[in-house]
Amino acid sequence: MLTGKQKQQLKALGNSIDHRYLFGKGDVDQAFLKQIDDALEAHELIKVGLLQNSSIETKEIGNILSKELNCEIVQLIGRVILIYRKSKKNPRITLQ
């Protein structure tokens, strides 16, 4: 579980992230989960965006990702989720 100070640190780092992994129509499938899992292992902190035609709410997909991938939801803004998980092989972000 992240502390408030750690979330603030990650939010600040998240401001510079331009690339988003996009989720569209349909359900969360294994291919999408694998893509996000690989991205978290490589980058630790990523943004997931929901397209306008997505039938799933932002909070709902955040909860699914958190549960399935054992990651932390740092921030929900509109249709964008900022998520974090410490890399097992190559941790880069040092939390205070």
Side-chain angles (χ1 to χ4, degrees):
M1 194 69 167
L2 296 172
T3 66
K5 188 174 184 179
Q6 290 171 332
K7 281 189 176 187
Q8 288 299 328
Q9 180 186 359
L10 291 170
K11 286 177 190 178
L13 291 171
N15 285 334
S16 62
I17 298 175
D18 290 330
H19 183 75
R20 293 184 183 151
Y21 295 87
L22 296 176
F23 179 77
K25 252 182 161 175
D27 293 327
V28 178
D29 60 3
Q30 289 303 313
F32 180 72
L33 289 173
K34 173 83 171 110
Q35 178 186 16
I36 299 302
D37 189 48
D38 292 345
L40 281 168
E41 183 59 36
H43 304 289
E44 295 183 309
L45 185 68
I46 63 169
K47 286 181 181 177
V48 177
L50 274 71
L51 298 177
Q52 293 295 331
N53 63 353
S54 175
S55 60
I56 299 177
E57 293 294 320
T58 309
K59 190 169 186 170
E60 185 180 349
I61 194 164
N63 290 333
I64 291 169
L65 293 175
S66 176
K67 180 181 168 194
E68 294 289 327
L69 302 177
N70 195 27
C71 61
E72 296 279 344
I73 299 171
V74 177
Q75 189 174 36
L76 298 170
I77 299 178
R79 301 184 74 74
V80 177
I81 309 162
L82 183 64
I83 56 176
Y84 167 79
R85 185 182 71 201
K86 186 173 184 171
S87 174
K88 294 172 187 153
K89 297 176 185 170
N90 188 18
R92 295 186 215 173
I93 298 173
T94 305
L95 296 176
Q96 298 177 358

